[in-house]
Amino acid sequence: MYNSKIIGLGHYVPDNVVTNDDLSKVMDTNDAWIQERTGIKERRHVVKGDGDTTTTMGVKAAKIAIERAGIDKDDIDFIVFATLSPDYYFPGPGVLVQRDLGIKTVGALDVRNQCSGFVYAISIADQYIKTGMYKNVLVIGSELHSHGLDMTTRGRGVSVIFGDGAGAAVLSREEDNTKGILSTHLHSEGQHAEELSLIAPGMGKRWVTDIIEDNDPQDESYFPYMNGQFVFKNAVVRFSEVIIEGLEKNKLKSTDINLLVPHQANLRISQFIQKKFQLSDDQVFNNIMKYGNTTAASIPIALTEAWEAGKVESGDLVVLAAFGSGFTWGSVIIRW
Ligand code: UT7
């Protein structure tokens, strides 16, 4: 059995900055409310017509990660792409990355685990590398939320939170099993599936034909819905549990953590976790202030920025943790 390690990281966000004040021009919201409840100051939105999609942003992040990994694109053995906002209903973006990067006909897998998507994707890549089946796996998390949000006062509870962007990592074989990804921990609780969801169009409750037939301008079913307080309460519990699970599995304590990179759901959630584990500001990386919640892209964007800022060094214990729609949650324990 091998371990896997992250050998290259990259991220890409669109240039277009949307501030809280910008949002208050199109809906009844304000900078004070958004900052107080979420910590978000601004986010990036793709400008229609500029050509960015979930896939193209993922490709841009991936190119940087591959270059930093010091490998050739033809050394990639497998692609895992996590998103809740794919370019097409099908096929998923994994194959589009294979095409756009001109990678040989390796397997491409799409992960549908929303905010936990990147943690799930890392876990999948890790298993393939552990068994020796693949040596280098490209993992991408990318989201284009902005054009699927209800940008009116009706949708403000959700729309002010989400932003666009992408992050990528190249995972590679590590022969020393005290280094790299030590363990991953995944969970789900489908009982709460609808508490944070986008129901339509789907083949379950609301078909495309239903939407067309009803032709109802008040139809909210194709916008994301979130029971914010319920999600918040579950998030703080599950984040904590899954971090503890990962530490205990490796006989580690919270004092061993050098850097925690939580999914950027809400600055208040990160602060709650920081306090619970008695971590200093230096031990928790947050960038939700700049990007909002980019779901599957949030951890790889944050991890890339932390690495670029020199906050991740060889030998460090780095913990990734996520919670979101599904509900799904998970953690990754890394000896860098
Ligand atoms: O990434 C996946 C995981 N996601 C999360 O973990 C998110 C978890 N939830 C949250 O972060 C928070 O619940 C929110 C930030 C989404 C909302 O904060 P909240 O403190 O739970 O607010 P609320 O939904 O209870 O709304 C409070 C008030 C309401 O008005 P009334 O009924 O008290 O008059 C809302 O209508 O704030 C109002 N409101 C807003 N006001 C200004 C909701 N959205 C806005 C807004 N601007 N954007």
Side-chain angles (χ1 to χ4, degrees):
M1 290 277 270
Y2 300 103
N3 265 18
S4 68
K5 68 177 171 199
I6 294 175
I7 61 164
L9 286 164
H11 84 287
Y12 170 82
V13 291
D15 291 337
N16 179 37
V17 176
V18 177
T19 64
N20 295 341
D21 286 338
D22 291 333
L23 292 179
S24 69
K25 288 175 195 141
V26 295
M27 63 182 81
D28 181 12
T29 189
N30 57 77
D31 180 53
W33 190 97
I34 299 172
Q35 283 210 50
E36 189 190 315
R37 308 280 175 134
T38 70
I40 300 167
K41 295 182 178 174
E42 57 190 40
R43 74 286 293 140
R44 304 297 177 98
H45 282 179
V46 164
V47 175
K48 263 189 192 161
D50 273 6
D52 267 335
T53 69
T54 294
T55 301
T56 66
M57 291 193 291
V59 164
K60 287 174 188 172
K63 280 184 178 165
I64 298 167
I66 293 168
E67 198 193 323
R68 286 176 173 168
I71 62 166
D72 189 85
K73 65 180 171 52
D74 289 325
D75 297 325
I76 303 278
D77 301 311
F78 195 62
I79 299 163
V80 191
F81 199 123
T83 188
L84 64 72
S85 51
D87 291 21
Y88 306 140
Y89 197 98
F90 72 84
V95 298
L96 305 180
V97 168
Q98 180 274 329
R99 178 180 71 187
D100 293 355
L101 280 177
I103 296 178
K104 56 188 192 293
T105 59
V106 300
L109 180 74
D110 301 297
V111 170
R112 295 293 309 271
N113 289 82
Q114 299 69 248
C115 300
S116 312
F118 191 76
V119 164
Y120 268 74
I122 286 276
S123 180
I124 292 163
D126 181 47
Q127 308 314 309
Y128 279 126
I129 291 171
K130 268 197 168 75
T131 58
M133 182 160 171
Y134 297 130
K135 194 168 174 210
N136 298 308
V137 180
L138 173 62
V139 181
I140 299 172
S142 180
E143 303 285 3
L144 199 165
H145 288 299
S146 55
H147 297 297
L149 298 171
D150 180 357
M151 285 294 183
T152 69
T153 299
R154 185 181 65 178
R156 65 183 181 174
V158 172
S159 304
V160 301
I161 295 167
F162 293 98
D164 303 339
V170 175
L171 268 69
S172 190
R173 182 184 295 171
E174 166 64 63
E175 313 251 343
D176 179 349
N177 65 10
T178 64
K179 285 193 191 144
I181 293 176
L182 303 180
S183 62
T184 61
H185 307 270
L186 307 177
H187 293 277
S188 71
E189 191 176 25
Q191 187 189 342
H192 304 307
E194 285 79 18
E195 302 294 350
L196 176 47
S197 59
L198 201 164
I199 298 297
M203 305 308 167
K205 286 196 174 149
R206 204 150 160 69
W207 298 27
V208 175
T209 44
D210 294 329
I211 295 171
I212 294 170
E213 215 169 280
D214 292 354
N215 192 23
D216 174 7
Q218 302 307 319
D219 189 356
E220 295 179 48
S221 64
Y222 41 80
F223 290 122
Y225 165 79
M226 175 161 68
N227 181 349
Q229 292 197 1
F230 186 74
V231 174
F232 192 106
K233 282 178 197 149
N234 279 268
V236 291
V237 173
R238 298 308 193 183
F239 263 109
S240 306
E241 279 177 9
V242 83
I243 292 168
I244 292 169
E245 181 185 346
L247 292 172
E248 284 181 351
K249 167 83 184 170
N250 295 286
K251 300 189 172 48
L252 294 163
K253 299 184 292 300
S254 59
T255 47
D256 296 317
I257 296 175
N258 294 100
L259 189 69
L260 170 66
V261 181
H263 161 54
Q264 302 292 291
N266 184 322
L267 191 60
R268 308 295 159 240
I269 294 177
S270 292
Q271 287 167 338
F272 179 93
I273 303 300
Q274 176 175 344
K275 205 168 161 200
K276 181 176 167 79
F277 290 101
Q278 296 180 308
L279 301 172
S280 69
D281 288 351
D282 268 357
Q283 288 169 291
V284 184
F285 191 83
N286 290 304
N287 60 6
I288 190 169
M289 306 72 92
K290 295 192 291 179
Y291 302 129
N293 179 346
T294 57
T295 48
S298 94
I299 289 182
I301 294 174
L303 187 58
T304 303
E305 287 200 335
W307 177 81
E308 286 170 348
K311 288 177 174 287
V312 188
E313 294 190 352
S314 179
D316 280 357
L317 185 74
V318 179
V319 176
L320 315 178
F323 173 88
S325 160
F327 292 151
T328 58
W329 61 100
S331 64
V332 180
I333 312 294
I334 308 170
R335 179 66 69 191
W336 206 267

